[in-house]
Amino acid sequence: MRLPEHIIPAHYDLMIHANLTTLTFGGTTQIEITASEPTSTIILHSHHLQVSKATLRKGGGERQAEEPLRVLENPPQEQIALLASEPLVVGLPYTIVIDYTGNLSESFHGFYKSTYRTKEGEVRVLASTQFEPTAARMAFPCFDEPAFKASFLIKIRREPRHLAISNMPLVKSVIVAEGLIEDHFDVTVKMSTYLVAFIVSDFKSVSKMTKSGVKVSVYAVPDKINQADYALDAAVTLLEFYEDYFNIPYPLPKQDLAAIPDFQSGAMENWGLTTYRESSLLFDAEKSSASSKLGITMTVSHELAHQWFGNLVTMEWWNDLWLNEGFAKFMEFVSVSVTHPELKVEEYFFGKCFDAMEVDALNSSHPVSTPVENPAQIQEMFDEVSYEKGACILNMLRDYLGADAFKSGIVKYLQKYSYKNTKNEDLWNSMASICPTDDTQHMDGFCSRGEHSSSTVHWRREGLDVKTMMNTWTLQKGFPLITITVRGRNVHVKQEYYVKGVADAPETGLLWHVPLTFITSKSDAVQRFLLKTRTDVLILPEEVEWIKFNVGMNGYYIVHYEDDGWDSLTGLLKGTHTAISSNDRASLINNAFQLVSIGKLSIEKALDLTLYLKHETEIMPVFQGLNELIPMYKLMEKREMNEVETQFKAFLIRLLRGLIDKQTWTDEGSVSERMLRSQLLLLACVRKYQPCVQKAEGYFRQWQEAGGNLSLPNDVTLAVFAVGAQTLEGWDFLYSKYQSSLSSTEKNQIEFALCISQNKEKLQWLLDQSFKGDVIKTQEFPDILRAIGRNPVGYPLAWQFLRENWNKLVQKFELGSNSIAYMVTGTTNQFSTRARLEEVKEFFSSLKENGSQLRCVQQTIETIEENIRWMDKNFDKIKAWLQNEQLNLL
């Protein structure tokens, strides 16, 4: 699959002409190359393009004689070979010229068609690009691997009514024929092909300058340009932050942010022209939710972080994608906590680590850095392990080294490898040569402790070997379970590989270098210890009532407390839960249920621990409680277990009733208070808690009578729509509002409400419509399919739909993509019967090379097997515990 390394591209001259009426495009690509060994064969990428002519020019100048090249195609490898009559001379510059045509892609990658409807109902067409990871070859023949960096001169031909934008600013426009203009853009810096971008549209824009003179603009469809201001301000602030933090100026004269009406993922970091889903960029001050403001800020911050991590310094090959994505995900939190302190993003960070652990605890997981070859495997790298786990282990390293030492390490890395490509170890080598705070560096590269340094702050470490430590986190899959046994003042620690569904993990011999942190009942000063061996013993200055490891959940590991360790922590939560931070409380809830899965803790003890939630008010512990408890009744909904399911739902509302009753039906408070309110009211209404339902019905009636033009508090809209959609008339009214709405938040809220209908006909209609993509865009289909897959009435329809339309879905969303994985797990991973397991196995194995080998298929099969074991083991215990809990209330 890989291209030979002896032909090196230095510069591309691209001319592309898209016809938005016939939905075709043509182009000429000129590539300046040199050969490092004599060869008469030039192999490069081309996919779904018709090459009409290819020639070779010797030397750099235009005047040189052109020699025709023979073109051979190899469609399965997405490659073409150009054959010269004699071998190229080593070191001499040559230019290859290729004329070609293609159709605008009907999917979301390559050079693809997008449409939108104006307020007046007219459908307009635009063309935009999405090249990462392997689709630049669908727009122009190229050496489409990240290590073949080159400069690009781009020219776009268009009609006068359109506007073209690309990575660089416009230099000049030339009229080439009646009604045809050619826009010339400035030459780019040296960069990878997957970062090239161009858009032909009739977008409008708003602009601002940063302190250092970079022009920042937001582009959107004309009807929505009034929603661009929030992202524009955020982008200016964040770009200024990164220039300062990385101590490297942003190298281009401008940064555009474009909202594309059809977009598969959330956003893309093309250098100088980042592209976004409309909901990830546009903010409607009237209707957008608090979580939407948070999401937009994080997405913009992620793409701008990539301008350094990813664009300036790029991984050598996709096996180290996490060097791009883990860093950008991590930097979202570093930057936004400084630029937008009111969003308090640091509170949400560790939730990402739980998301990663969810897949990383399965046998089908993979190391952060893992070999990949073909496009589907490359696509599969864009998962929770590359993004979230990558970010979590970086956060752990930062906590270990100290923020300043960590920062100087990454700045050194970026400066050393600017405009180059890197491997995993290049990062650790840049980090390793940094001394932690209080230490001085000697000529021999070793760090030594200063005389007066406070040893309590620091890790007990023999020497700082970042590379060896971090290799344990990036080159092996999974994460450790740390078991704590307290004997008087002695704390015995033990590490083992945590894997779901296996009570005593097989001795894998896997060891991690784990930076342990802990606090105790006697001291809230964080103690630190680096565990490098399977077992070790720590000695406390005095005996303690309780001990809590992994302070603030800064470490990527989970903890089990032997003997009465869990009882004392449960007692602490019941008595004074605020003695430990809300992050620590959330991590206790998470860890307890992780331990139930491997039989280290009983389900009764885990449920007992959640009882303290009736006194909880903070967002993360409450959300973590919901993340553990809701899936339990979701499993029951897909089986005939009505009685226990009903009791369990009633228990959940009883548990949170105090907090639900305290919520005002307004938009007051901080972002986290508002997000908590929105989710709690939704939960209460969906679970038919009458005070909530009655209030929501009242609001919905008023809203409907006002023709949907009444302004509801944003935080209660989700609950109001969810209740309104339960009647057929309400559902139809919501759908009619969906069609005319210009607000992404409002559309997403309506979409969610439509999907929780208990009417099968409506649900089937939604699947068909969003798949067709006329009114509900196909980009929404994965979310709709998943929502209906979670619906107790709709899940058989969703699973059926996935199977019947598999081939079309793969064409549209690409084999291996995150969207496909999301749909597979969304329709199947709450099954818990052997019959369903057989159905799932049978369907996916029948797909052969069109899906049977996907990692998400292994993940869902493992999850279903785990669900079966879990229910067999715990269902009767939950039933008894619930009855007991009800008696206690009486």
Short mmCIF file of all heavy atoms in Angstrom, two decimals, residues 577-599:
data_model
loop_
_atom_site.label_atom_id
_atom_site.label_comp_id
_atom_site.label_asym_id
_atom_site.label_seq_id
_atom_site.Cartn_x
_atom_site.Cartn_y
_atom_site.Cartn_z
N HIS A 577 -19.43 14.32 52.07
CA HIS A 577 -18.88 14.03 50.74
C HIS A 577 -17.96 15.14 50.24
O HIS A 577 -17.11 14.90 49.40
CB HIS A 577 -20.00 13.75 49.73
CG HIS A 577 -20.90 14.90 49.44
ND1 HIS A 577 -22.05 15.14 50.17
CD2 HIS A 577 -20.83 15.89 48.51
CE1 HIS A 577 -22.66 16.22 49.69
NE2 HIS A 577 -21.93 16.70 48.69
N THR A 578 -18.10 16.35 50.77
CA THR A 578 -17.26 17.45 50.28
C THR A 578 -15.83 17.40 50.82
O THR A 578 -15.01 18.25 50.47
CB THR A 578 -17.89 18.80 50.63
OG1 THR A 578 -18.23 18.77 52.03
CG2 THR A 578 -19.15 19.05 49.83
N ALA A 579 -15.52 16.39 51.66
CA ALA A 579 -14.14 16.24 52.15
C ALA A 579 -13.19 15.93 50.99
O ALA A 579 -11.99 16.17 51.07
CB ALA A 579 -14.07 15.14 53.20
N ILE A 580 -13.73 15.36 49.89
CA ILE A 580 -12.88 15.14 48.71
C ILE A 580 -13.53 15.87 47.52
O ILE A 580 -14.72 16.17 47.56
CB ILE A 580 -12.70 13.62 48.38
CG1 ILE A 580 -14.06 12.93 48.22
CG2 ILE A 580 -11.86 12.93 49.45
CD1 ILE A 580 -13.95 11.49 47.76
N SER A 581 -12.74 16.16 46.51
CA SER A 581 -13.21 16.98 45.39
C SER A 581 -14.30 16.26 44.59
O SER A 581 -14.42 15.04 44.65
CB SER A 581 -12.05 17.31 44.46
OG SER A 581 -11.69 16.15 43.74
N SER A 582 -15.05 17.04 43.80
CA SER A 582 -16.12 16.43 42.99
C SER A 582 -15.52 15.46 41.96
O SER A 582 -16.13 14.45 41.64
CB SER A 582 -16.96 17.51 42.32
OG SER A 582 -16.21 18.20 41.37
N ASN A 583 -14.31 15.76 41.46
CA ASN A 583 -13.66 14.82 40.54
C ASN A 583 -13.37 13.50 41.23
O ASN A 583 -13.53 12.42 40.66
CB ASN A 583 -12.33 15.39 40.02
CG ASN A 583 -12.54 16.48 39.00
OD1 ASN A 583 -13.65 16.96 38.81
ND2 ASN A 583 -11.47 16.88 38.34
N ASP A 584 -12.90 13.59 42.48
CA ASP A 584 -12.61 12.37 43.24
C ASP A 584 -13.88 11.58 43.52
O ASP A 584 -13.89 10.35 43.47
CB ASP A 584 -11.89 12.71 44.54
CG ASP A 584 -10.41 13.01 44.30
OD1 ASP A 584 -9.77 12.26 43.55
OD2 ASP A 584 -9.90 14.00 44.85
N ARG A 585 -14.97 12.30 43.78
CA ARG A 585 -16.25 11.60 44.03
C ARG A 585 -16.71 10.88 42.75
O ARG A 585 -17.11 9.72 42.80
CB ARG A 585 -17.32 12.60 44.50
CG ARG A 585 -16.89 13.38 45.74
CD ARG A 585 -18.04 14.05 46.45
NE ARG A 585 -18.72 15.13 45.77
CZ ARG A 585 -18.37 16.43 45.80
NH1 ARG A 585 -17.27 16.79 46.45
NH2 ARG A 585 -19.09 17.33 45.18
N ALA A 586 -16.61 11.57 41.62
CA ALA A 586 -17.02 10.95 40.34
C ALA A 586 -16.16 9.73 40.04
O ALA A 586 -16.66 8.72 39.55
CB ALA A 586 -16.93 11.97 39.21
N SER A 587 -14.85 9.82 40.34
CA SER A 587 -13.99 8.69 40.00
C SER A 587 -14.27 7.49 40.91
O SER A 587 -14.13 6.35 40.49
CB SER A 587 -12.51 9.09 40.00
OG SER A 587 -12.02 9.20 41.30
N LEU A 588 -14.69 7.73 42.14
CA LEU A 588 -15.08 6.61 43.02
C LEU A 588 -16.30 5.89 42.44
O LEU A 588 -16.35 4.65 42.42
CB LEU A 588 -15.38 7.10 44.44
CG LEU A 588 -14.16 7.47 45.30
CD1 LEU A 588 -14.62 8.06 46.63
CD2 LEU A 588 -13.25 6.26 45.54
N ILE A 589 -17.28 6.67 41.97
CA ILE A 589 -18.48 6.06 41.39
C ILE A 589 -18.08 5.21 40.18
O ILE A 589 -18.46 4.04 40.05
CB ILE A 589 -19.49 7.15 40.96
CG1 ILE A 589 -19.99 7.92 42.18
CG2 ILE A 589 -20.66 6.52 40.20
CD1 ILE A 589 -20.80 9.17 41.84
N ASN A 590 -17.25 5.79 39.30
CA ASN A 590 -16.83 5.06 38.10
C ASN A 590 -16.07 3.78 38.46
O ASN A 590 -16.38 2.69 37.96
CB ASN A 590 -15.93 5.96 37.23
CG ASN A 590 -15.25 5.19 36.11
OD1 ASN A 590 -14.22 4.57 36.31
ND2 ASN A 590 -15.85 5.19 34.94
N ASN A 591 -15.07 3.91 39.33
CA ASN A 591 -14.23 2.76 39.67
C ASN A 591 -15.03 1.64 40.32
O ASN A 591 -14.82 0.47 40.03
CB ASN A 591 -13.08 3.18 40.58
CG ASN A 591 -11.98 3.97 39.84
OD1 ASN A 591 -10.89 4.15 40.35
ND2 ASN A 591 -12.28 4.45 38.65
N ALA A 592 -15.97 2.00 41.19
CA ALA A 592 -16.77 0.98 41.87
C ALA A 592 -17.47 0.08 40.85
O ALA A 592 -17.44 -1.15 40.95
CB ALA A 592 -17.79 1.63 42.80
N PHE A 593 -18.10 0.69 39.83
CA PHE A 593 -18.83 -0.12 38.85
C PHE A 593 -17.89 -0.86 37.90
O PHE A 593 -18.21 -1.95 37.44
CB PHE A 593 -19.86 0.74 38.10
CG PHE A 593 -21.05 1.06 38.95
CD1 PHE A 593 -21.11 2.24 39.69
CD2 PHE A 593 -22.11 0.15 39.06
CE1 PHE A 593 -22.20 2.51 40.51
CE2 PHE A 593 -23.20 0.42 39.88
CZ PHE A 593 -23.25 1.61 40.61
N GLN A 594 -16.71 -0.28 37.64
CA GLN A 594 -15.71 -1.01 36.84
C GLN A 594 -15.33 -2.30 37.57
O GLN A 594 -15.06 -3.32 36.95
CB GLN A 594 -14.43 -0.17 36.66
CG GLN A 594 -14.62 1.10 35.86
CD GLN A 594 -14.22 0.93 34.41
OE1 GLN A 594 -14.37 -0.14 33.82
NE2 GLN A 594 -13.71 1.98 33.80
N LEU A 595 -15.26 -2.21 38.89
CA LEU A 595 -14.83 -3.37 39.69
C LEU A 595 -15.92 -4.43 39.78
O LEU A 595 -15.64 -5.61 39.92
CB LEU A 595 -14.40 -2.91 41.09
CG LEU A 595 -13.12 -2.04 41.08
CD1 LEU A 595 -12.96 -1.31 42.39
CD2 LEU A 595 -11.88 -2.87 40.76
N VAL A 596 -17.19 -4.00 39.69
CA VAL A 596 -18.30 -4.96 39.66
C VAL A 596 -18.13 -5.86 38.43
O VAL A 596 -18.31 -7.08 38.50
CB VAL A 596 -19.66 -4.23 39.62
CG1 VAL A 596 -20.80 -5.25 39.40
CG2 VAL A 596 -19.89 -3.46 40.92
N SER A 597 -17.73 -5.25 37.30
CA SER A 597 -17.59 -6.00 36.05
C SER A 597 -16.59 -7.14 36.15
O SER A 597 -16.72 -8.13 35.46
CB SER A 597 -17.12 -5.08 34.91
OG SER A 597 -18.17 -4.21 34.58
N ILE A 598 -15.56 -6.99 37.02
CA ILE A 598 -14.57 -8.06 37.10
C ILE A 598 -14.69 -8.82 38.42
O ILE A 598 -13.77 -9.54 38.81
CB ILE A 598 -13.14 -7.54 36.89
CG1 ILE A 598 -12.81 -6.41 37.86
CG2 ILE A 598 -12.94 -7.08 35.44
CD1 ILE A 598 -11.33 -6.09 37.91
N GLY A 599 -15.83 -8.63 39.10
CA GLY A 599 -16.10 -9.43 40.29
C GLY A 599 -15.25 -9.08 41.51
O GLY A 599 -15.13 -9.88 42.44
#
